[in-house]
Amino acid sequence: MKDKIETLLNEVEKFSATSAEQAEHFRLKYLSRKGEISILFDEFKTVPSEMKREVGQLLNKLKISAQEKLDSFKSLGEAAAETASANDLTLPAVSFTGGRHPLNIVRKEILGIFGRLGFTVADGPEIEDDWHNFSALNFPEEHPARDMQDTFFIDKEVALRTHTSSVQVRVLEKTQPPVRIVMPGRVYRNEAVSARAHCFFHQVEGLYVDKGVSFADMKQVLLYFSREMFGEKTEIRLRPSYFPFTEPSAEMDISCTICHGKGCAVCKHSGWVEILGCGMVDPAVLKNCRIDPDIYSGFAFGMGIERITMLKFGVNDLRLFSENDVRFLSQFKSAL
Ligand code: PHE
C-alpha cells in the first residue's frame, strides 16, 4: 500500500492541467468519492496497526497535495466560465470598442433616406465590361472617359468601373419598370492621389423609371434628400450640365453647410457646393436595355459618398478615408 501511495504522490505532483476539463478529470480520478484516494482510505482499515501511523501520514500527505493541486487549477475553471459566458448569446451584450467607418455611417444614412422614399438597394460588379460601364450608357466611341487617363483597363473590353451608373444598365436589362433603386459601391479612376482626388472612391447612384416620371419629381426627391442629410434649411440649385446617359442633365449644389451662404473656403465664397450629378435617363439608354422610351421615362443621379461625408463632418482631405488612422476614425461615432 505504501508503494501505491507513493506512486500516486508522484503522479499528482507531475500532473498539470491546461484546461478546466483536465482539472475536472484530475478531481474525478483522485479526489471524488470513488476516486483513488477514497479507495485507499477504505483500504487503510486493513493496514496492520504497527504500520497505521506511517501509512496514515503518507496517505494524508497525498490527500493534501492532491487538494492543493486541484486548488491551483481553479483559475482555469474561472477562465472557462468566462468563455462559456462569452458564448452565451442570451446574455446582455457587452459594449465593444470598434466603430463604423465614416463612409459607412454616411452610406447607411443615404440609403436610409432613399429607403424611406421607397428606393431599394441594388448591387453590381466592380470589374465591369465596356458595354455596362460605357456603351449602353451612350458614351460615344471616342469619349475621353474611355481614355487610359481616366480608366483602369484590365483588357480592351474589361475595366474597373468608373462609376456606379453601370449598375443602372444591369438592373434595367433584367427588370421592366417600375424600377426605383439606389446603388452604392466603390468606383475607380486613374487619377493622381491628392487631398481632392483619389484613384478609388465611393458613389451612390439612384434610378427611378416608370410611366410619367418627370424632372420635377427628380427635383423634389433631391430636395428631400438634401434636407434630410444636411438639415431642413438646406437649399438646392440645379445647374445645366452634360452626361452622355442623361438628357437633360444637371449638377446639383446645396447651400454651403459651413458658412450658410455667407462665403467660405469650402464653397469658394459662392455660398454653394456641388454634391451630385443628375438628369432624365436618356431614351437611348432605355432602348439599349430594351425598355420602350415612348412609354417609360425616368431620372438618375449619382453622388460621391466621400464628398457628402467631407461636407457633413468638415473633413478636408480625401486621403484620410483610406489611411485607417485610428486618431481620425475614432472621432466618428454611430448608434449602429
Ligand atoms: N455617373 C456620374 C458620375 O460618375 C454621375 C451621374 C449619375 C450623373 C447619374 C447623372 C446621372 O459623375
Side-chain angles (χ1 to χ4, degrees):
M1 183 158 179
K2 251 178 78 182
D3 288 351
K4 171 85 184 164
I5 299 175
E6 258 152 18
T7 328
L8 288 184
L9 249 172
N10 232 325
E11 270 179 35
V12 166
E13 255 157 43
K14 285 208 194 99
F15 191 90
S16 77
T18 50
S19 70
E21 271 153 39
Q22 286 172 355
E24 177 60 6
H25 184 254
F26 176 88
R27 189 190 69 79
L28 287 172
K29 181 159 189 229
Y30 298 105
L31 288 161
S32 65
R33 279 213 297 145
K34 288 185 183 146
E36 303 265 18
I37 296 175
S38 286
I39 295 170
L40 286 174
F41 270 100
D42 285 343
E43 278 176 28
F44 183 67
K45 290 171 204 137
T46 64
V47 171
S49 48
E50 68 273 16
M51 304 267 299
K52 270 212 158 70
R53 193 185 148 86
E54 195 189 348
V55 176
Q57 275 176 355
L58 209 55
L59 195 52
N60 270 330
K61 188 174 167 205
L62 172 65
K63 190 172 175 189
I64 290 165
S65 76
Q67 190 58 53
E68 279 174 3
K69 194 74 166 194
L70 185 66
D71 289 347
S72 75
F73 298 150
K74 236 185 164 169
S75 58
L76 290 172
E78 277 156 18
E82 257 170 42
T83 11
S85 65
N87 292 333
D88 184 350
L89 300 178
T90 62
L91 288 175
V94 274
S95 62
F96 62 100
T97 46
R100 281 189 186 277
H101 192 283
L103 295 178
N104 204 340
I105 296 173
V106 171
R107 184 185 61 108
K108 273 182 80 137
E109 195 172 341
I110 297 171
L111 298 183
I113 295 169
F114 287 108
R116 295 201 283 284
L117 291 173
F119 286 76
T120 53
V121 177
D123 199 9
E126 289 181 23
I127 298 175
E128 194 49 285
D129 52 38
D130 179 273
W131 171 254
H132 292 97
N133 197 75
F134 295 124
S135 296
L137 288 165
N138 210 26
F139 278 81
E141 245 354 286
E142 70 290 353
H143 194 281
R146 293 175 179 231
D147 202 306
M148 293 296 279
Q149 292 300 307
D150 284 315
T151 310
F152 286 116
F153 282 96
I154 289 169
D155 60 37
K156 216 171 151 289
E157 282 295 307
V158 181
L160 297 180
R161 68 177 174 197
T162 57
H163 54 181
T164 40
S165 302
S166 54
V167 189
Q168 285 188 30
V169 180
R170 288 198 171 263
V171 174
L172 288 178
E173 278 175 341
K174 280 198 244 102
T175 337
Q176 278 299 306
V179 169
R180 189 158 47 186
I181 47 172
V182 270
M183 298 148 273
R186 183 174 284 185
V187 302
Y188 301 83
R189 289 190 197 168
N190 195 356
E191 294 197 34
V193 175
S194 72
R196 317 191 111 246
H198 213 294
C199 56
F200 70 84
F201 57 99
H202 301 80
Q203 289 186 330
V204 174
E205 185 92 2
L207 175 72
Y208 181 24
V209 181
D210 201 352
K211 287 179 186 150
V213 176
S214 70
F215 197 92
D217 293 329
M218 178 179 83
K219 186 180 169 194
Q220 209 53 37
V221 163
L222 295 178
L223 177 64
Y224 173 79
F225 164 74
S226 305
R227 293 194 166 159
E228 288 291 293
M229 193 69 188
F230 294 105
E232 53 187 283
K233 296 219 168 66
T234 309
E235 296 297 334
I236 64 167
R237 125 180 139 169
L238 290 162
R239 281 179 291 104
S241 184
Y242 173 77
F243 300 102
F245 38 93
T246 46
E247 181 57 37
S249 305
E251 266 161 341
M252 191 185 87
D253 300 339
I254 56 165
S255 48
C256 182
T257 51
I258 312 284
C259 66
H260 303 288
K262 286 191 203 81
C264 70
V266 172
C267 62
K268 300 198 196 85
H269 299 279
S270 70
W272 297 95
V273 276
E274 184 200 318
I275 63 161
L276 54 81
C278 58
M280 300 306 289
V281 180
D282 194 302
V285 175
L286 294 176
K287 259 192 224 147
N288 285 337
C289 301
R290 290 182 298 277
I291 288 171
D292 188 346
D294 292 334
I295 304 177
Y296 294 107
S297 60
F299 64 77
F301 55 87
M303 66 186 93
I305 304 181
E306 278 81 351
R307 178 128 187 94
I308 307 282
T309 311
M310 288 168 100
L311 286 172
K312 208 173 156 70
F313 293 121
V315 177
N316 58 12
D317 192 327
L318 202 54
R319 290 167 293 198
L320 288 165
F321 292 123
S322 47
E323 279 167 356
N324 275 342
D325 186 332
V326 276
R327 290 168 302 178
F328 173 69
L329 296 175
S330 61
Q331 294 175 53
F332 300 91
K333 300 270 175 288
S334 73
L336 283 171

